[in-house]
Amino acid sequence: MTFGRFKNENREVSVQNLVLTIIFWSLSLAWILTIFLLSNVAHEELSDLADSVLSQAFHAPKFHLDISDTSIISMWGHMLEFGILTIFAYFAISSTNKISVKTSYAESPIKILKSDNEMNIIFTLWFTILNAIFDEYHQLFITGHSGGVIDLCKDIIGIVVVLLLIRIIFSISLKVRGKKEIRYT
């Protein structure tokens, strides 16, 4: 037995990555539930909520924001919601891939993607876009909301921006550590 790993039926399992997987999937699911609950809130209530959060965060008097009339705040809200989900999902997928060396993407006989990081990014992209589609569909049935393509585009912008940042940070961290990304042929 080595530190952080144990053998179970000839499979080496990383306890650290198992714990991280549970944490990040729990955060992802909790955030999906939060998005779902926020989608059920009327625009006026969202305006009051944003006003309360901003006044608490900056210890300032009420800002009196009107989210229903402010497309910039709406855009940032969509991007932030799905940007946060993207972060949680990326780390959940990444740590899931690292639970066992023998069942990781590196050991797959068929490699469609060129690296583990590309696989993590693509799976995160699919997962988060599907959640954005389901959220916009859900909003079609909520009074005061209208799920639409424009809102879906705002969600996707948040997702893509965060994934680009993750890719850039990943590349910079490899370069700083003097390592190269493992590429499959």
Side-chain angles (χ1 to χ4, degrees), residues 16 20 34 36 66 88 131 140-141 167:
Q16 177 184 358
L20 287 173
T34 301
F36 178 82
D66 186 6
F88 292 154
N131 274 285
L140 292 172
F141 303 100
R167 181 64 187 163

Side-chain angles (χ1 to χ4, degrees), residues 1-18 95-104 107:
M1 181 185 300
T2 61
F3 180 74
R5 297 186 181 276
F6 64 89
K7 294 208 181 223
N8 182 7
E9 298 176 21
N10 297 326
R11 281 197 275 181
E12 200 170 289
V13 176
S14 166
V15 175
Q16 177 184 358
N17 284 313
L18 180 61
S95 57
T96 300
N97 186 40
K98 296 176 187 171
I99 290 175
S100 173
V101 175
K102 293 186 179 189
T103 59
S104 70
E107 294 300 315

Side-chain angles (χ1 to χ4, degrees), residues 4-99:
R5 297 186 181 276
F6 64 89
K7 294 208 181 223
N8 182 7
E9 298 176 21
N10 297 326
R11 281 197 275 181
E12 200 170 289
V13 176
S14 166
V15 175
Q16 177 184 358
N17 284 313
L18 180 61
V19 170
L20 287 173
T21 297
I22 292 167
I23 290 169
F24 281 113
W25 278 118
S26 297
L27 288 170
S28 297
L29 294 175
W31 193 250
I32 290 168
L33 180 62
T34 301
I35 292 170
F36 178 82
L37 293 174
L38 287 173
S39 295
N40 287 321
V41 177
H43 282 289
E44 296 79 29
E45 292 177 44
L46 280 174
S47 178
D48 292 342
L49 178 64
D51 193 34
S52 175
V53 167
L54 287 173
S55 65
Q56 290 294 324
F58 298 110
H59 303 291
K62 299 285 184 184
F63 285 87
H64 300 293
L65 299 173
D66 186 6
I67 289 179
S68 62
D69 294 337
T70 311
S71 61
I72 299 293
I73 292 175
S74 173
M75 181 180 73
W76 280 104
H78 280 271
M79 289 171 54
L80 184 64
E81 277 180 338
F82 283 90
I84 291 170
L85 177 59
T86 302
I87 292 168
F88 292 154
Y90 174 82
F91 286 109
I93 290 168
S94 178
S95 57
T96 300
N97 186 40
K98 296 176 187 171
I99 290 175

Side-chain angles (χ1 to χ4, degrees), residues 110-125:
I110 300 172
K111 304 244 185 341
I112 297 171
L113 302 169
K114 300 284 184 202
S115 72
D116 286 353
N117 193 46
E118 283 181 14
M119 189 266 316
N120 296 337
I121 288 173
I122 294 297
F123 281 13
T124 302
L125 184 67

